[in-house]
Amino acid sequence: YVIKNGEPVLIDGNRLFYNRSYSNLLDMQDAVKFNNTGENLGIRSNGKTLSVERRKPIVKTDTIFFQLGQLKVQQYQFEFIARDLRQDGLAAFLEDTYLHIKTPVHLNRITKHIFSVENTEGSYAPDRFRIVFSKKEDDEDDRKLIVSVKGSRNEDNSITVSWNSENESGIQSYIVERSHDGRHFEVIKTIQQELK
């Protein structure tokens, strides 16, 4: 999506399907990306840029390489709609090679990620983003205990959320999400932590 007047406007998309019957090689099940006149988003695989890729089930060393093109200096938003990709011990992260940050990607619901393109090399690099799958660290996140969360409405109708936690060692970021139905969540803020 491109962000116009504070609202996301869909400009391009891809699909990835996973099933044991598919091949990880380029074949008739995959669709080569045809560039449009505006911004482009494709999946880089087997030396080609694809709009649809069908692959064998995810393993803990897989990576999805995105190919961006014709970006402009403005804000964009990724929306990853994952269905039934969750596996025991599997984690996914969106890696931004320009900002050198990793953002968790949910494997069974929607993840949204806003990013900006600036007039600097690397910001609009075609290979700036990728999703990396990896092994979860022995449920390490289960040892992080949030003690209290507090939300309050400000005079300008914005919301302030604050929290206190224990065992913060190793936390890279906090992600604040909102939901209108308790099932579908969207990221509204990612707060990077300094690793200690």
Side-chain angles (χ1 to χ4, degrees), residues 43-157:
I43 305 159
R44 194 77 182 147
S45 181
N46 293 301
K48 299 281 186 189
T49 303
L50 307 174
S51 59
V52 176
E53 184 176 23
R54 289 176 173 84
R55 297 183 58 82
K56 291 199 173 294
I58 299 166
V59 295
K60 294 178 177 99
T61 56
D62 276 347
T63 301
I64 301 169
F65 296 95
F66 293 110
Q67 183 80 14
L68 298 166
Q70 298 176 201
L71 298 181
K72 299 179 177 100
V73 176
Q74 58 189 351
Q75 264 195 332
Y76 293 94
Q77 176 181 286
F78 283 130
E79 181 179 69
F80 303 107
I81 304 170
R83 291 193 182 103
D84 301 322
L85 298 179
R86 194 174 0 203
Q87 298 175 20
D88 287 340
L90 181 68
F93 298 91
L94 176 68
E95 290 188 352
D96 181 337
T97 61
Y98 172 64
L99 295 178
H100 306 289
I101 59 171
K102 295 190 329 184
T103 303
V105 175
H106 298 289
L107 296 175
N108 202 29
R109 65 179 194 232
I110 295 172
T111 302
K112 295 183 181 184
H113 178 77
I114 293 176
F115 67 97
S116 294
V117 171
E118 302 161 353
N119 198 13
T120 57
E121 193 175 344
S123 178
Y124 51 85
D127 60 352
R128 175 177 169 179
F129 292 99
R130 63 187 172 222
I131 292 180
V132 175
F133 296 94
S134 63
K135 181 180 176 193
K136 262 190 200 170
E137 296 298 322
D138 300 324
D139 296 325
E140 182 180 294
D141 291 337
D142 293 341
R143 295 196 303 267
K144 306 321 190 254
L145 174 64
I146 294 179
V147 176
S148 66
V149 177
K150 181 176 143 187
S152 59
R153 185 174 299 277
N154 302 319
E155 287 182 16
D156 64 356
N157 280 336

